[in-house]
Amino acid sequence: GVARTVPRSKRGPKVVARPLPWACDAAMTSAADPQVNGVQAPVEGASALRPPMVVSLGDARARSVDLAGGKAAALARAEGAGLATLGGLVLTTEFCADVDAGTPVEGHPVVAEAFRRAGGDDRSLVARSSSVVEDAATSSMAGQFASVIGVDGLDEFTAAVRTVIDSRVTAGAPDDPIAVLVQPLIEPAFGGIMFGIDPVTGRSDRRIVSAVRGGPEPLVSGLVEGSRTVLDPGGAIVCAAPALHTAGHH
């Protein structure tokens, strides 16, 4: 999510692609979304012999990296474990394979279905990359693929899906399958990043959380410095610098 002062429809969607080595995916806190969270939606029109092209994060199949990509699969597993997560849908790697085989994104019925199920007629959406090589144990690839924030209407959504899929080329992974994670745009109270390994010392027994008020984009892009909290693997605070900077200000 990202705070907006004018309607997104007047500015167009925001494309984000950030080089941030070692970082886990940007995390944002928000109230649960009743229209998406917890939805155990059936997969419509799926063949028993072919993987689905669209699944909700509440569907157990979304936990497969091969089908949903690393980012979406991690969120699906977190949701399945009972953690508070922002729900959504996934245009799966099977959809990507269909596009790679020559089916246009424009006019694809699965794109329209994902837009409808995500509530795109009633709210802004975010289209996020979820490549099979993202958020892996040996490499996060954070910021290498594109995400499109503030998507309004089916035409913008279709273009956003195309942008995410095409970002494989600039990420240096043109032949790796990718999925598109679709979530509602939120106005977060806080946003930030968690590092699974201390990016300075390399210690694997430390978790580093950096946060700011509002959305995480200024923090991720280096415009502001956020709070720094060091955790042990069990989640206990080792040390903290709690002062938070308002997003957009130093």
Side-chain angles (χ1 to χ4, degrees):
V2 57
R4 300 179 294 165
T5 56
V6 299
R8 178 64 64 186
S9 59
K10 295 183 180 180
R11 296 189 293 163
K14 177 181 179 182
V15 179
V16 179
R18 316 177 187 90
L20 187 66
W22 299 98
C24 294
D25 186 47
M28 293 169 282
T29 57
S30 174
D33 190 309
Q35 295 190 47
V36 175
N37 276 358
V39 174
Q40 304 291 329
V43 178
E44 300 175 12
S47 168
L49 300 178
R50 185 177 185 181
M53 291 191 185
V54 59
V55 293
S56 72
L57 289 177
D59 189 315
R61 291 170 293 183
R63 302 171 195 174
S64 166
V65 172
D66 289 341
L67 184 66
K71 185 183 298 178
L75 283 173
R77 290 193 295 269
E79 181 175 324
L83 298 179
T85 60
L86 182 65
L89 301 170
V90 185
L91 286 162
T92 68
T93 56
E94 184 68 16
F95 168 77
C96 175
D98 194 48
V99 172
D100 288 345
T103 304
V105 174
E106 296 74 13
H108 200 300
V110 173
V111 173
E113 175 67 10
F115 179 79
R116 182 188 65 79
R117 285 172 54 178
D121 286 326
D122 302 316
R123 57 185 174 189
S124 298
L125 301 175
V126 177
R128 310 175 69 194
S129 65
S130 185
S131 170
V132 297
V133 297
E134 279 188 277
D135 294 350
T138 57
S139 175
S140 72
M141 295 287 288
Q144 302 303 303
F145 299 88
S147 291
V148 185
I149 299 171
V151 178
D152 294 303
L154 180 57
D155 289 344
E156 280 192 10
F157 180 69
T158 301
V161 170
R162 179 81 263 178
T163 295
V164 172
I165 291 176
D166 289 348
S167 71
R168 291 179 296 173
V169 176
T170 55
D175 299 322
D176 291 304
I178 193 171
V180 181
L181 172 61
V182 183
Q183 295 179 291
L185 179 69
I186 61 172
E187 301 291 345
F190 300 96
I193 306 163
M194 184 181 76
F195 296 82
I197 297 174
D198 189 318
V200 177
T201 67
R203 290 184 61 168
S204 60
D205 62 341
R206 292 291 182 263
R207 310 290 183 260
I208 312 299
V209 178
S210 183
V212 293
R213 298 185 187 278
E217 283 75 22
L219 172 66
V220 174
S221 64
L223 294 177
V224 300
E225 294 182 4
S227 66
R228 176 181 168 87
T229 304
V230 181
L231 309 175
D232 67 19
I237 297 177
V238 176
C239 62
L244 290 172
H245 296 261
T246 301
H249 297 81
H250 289 283

